[in-house]
Amino acid sequence: MGFHKLSLTGRALKLLSQREHSRLELERKLAPHAEEGEDLGAVLDALEAKNFINPERVAQSVLYRRSSKLGTSRVLQELRSKGLDDDTVRAAAEQLKDTEHARAWEVWQRKFGEVPTTPQERMKQMRFLASRGFGGEVVNKVVRGQAPEAD
């Protein structure tokens, strides 16, 4: 069997079939495979024109996959790293805002499940939640044992 070399479009579609990718992600992944004379920009433009690359779908995919484990700031950081525009990131932030406390509570329940009894344990729990990208106000509520329904 001869070795079949995938075209840039073929590689892009293969990546997109695995999960949503932003234009910037595809650019980074495909650039090493672009040969002289191949126009990566044109390939990506064509995929965008056919709606194969869609920033809103990328954002929704990240929210779906990551928001149950991460706080708003970490999710937004991930969206920015994918090269999504400010409007898309802002819309995602709006979506996440209302569920921040509930999501932090879930993460905290799975990891600790009980209110800390020592200042050291309290700091450990707060650092853990902060490292996951949850905001200070929400972290304080959760570590005090304030369930989301109490908001």
Side-chain angles (χ1 to χ4, degrees):
M1 289 288 299
F3 176 70
H4 176 66
K5 186 177 159 293
L6 273 178
S7 68
L8 284 180
T9 304
R11 283 180 189 275
L13 291 172
K14 185 172 187 214
L15 289 167
L16 288 165
S17 73
Q18 293 160 354
R19 72 167 171 78
E20 296 288 343
H21 284 71
S22 67
R23 184 182 176 108
L24 182 65
E25 284 179 294
L26 287 173
E27 215 168 279
R28 287 177 185 150
K29 289 180 178 182
L30 296 174
H33 303 287
E35 294 187 4
E36 210 171 315
E38 283 184 299
D39 186 352
L40 179 54
V43 168
L44 296 175
D45 288 345
L47 290 169
E48 232 165 1
K50 292 181 179 144
N51 205 23
F52 283 119
I53 301 173
N54 179 306
E56 285 73 37
R57 280 202 317 264
V58 172
Q60 289 309 311
S61 167
V62 170
L63 292 185
Y64 177 77
R65 288 193 335 266
R66 308 292 282 158
S67 65
S68 66
K69 294 180 180 74
L70 299 176
T72 300
S73 68
R74 280 277 303 277
V75 174
L76 298 181
Q77 180 185 347
E78 193 168 318
L79 292 174
R80 282 191 206 94
S81 76
K82 292 178 181 303
L84 297 180
D85 61 277
D86 290 344
D87 290 343
T88 306
V89 173
R90 246 192 312 281
E94 258 330 286
Q95 246 180 301
L96 290 169
K97 196 175 62 185
D98 299 336
T99 61
E100 178 92 344
H101 190 169
R103 290 180 296 114
W105 181 261
E106 276 301 304
V107 168
W108 176 79
Q109 283 288 346
R110 283 195 301 266
K111 177 82 175 172
F112 301 105
E114 50 190 44
V115 176
T117 52
T118 66
Q120 291 82 2
E121 183 63 21
R122 179 179 166 76
M123 286 310 295
K124 177 183 172 184
Q125 290 188 13
M126 290 176 83
R127 272 194 310 272
F128 172 78
L129 289 170
S131 75
R132 290 289 182 93
F134 293 104
E137 191 182 324
V138 164
V139 168
N140 277 322
K141 286 180 183 176
V142 168
V143 173
R144 281 198 310 268
Q146 187 179 332
E149 301 77 56
D151 275 358

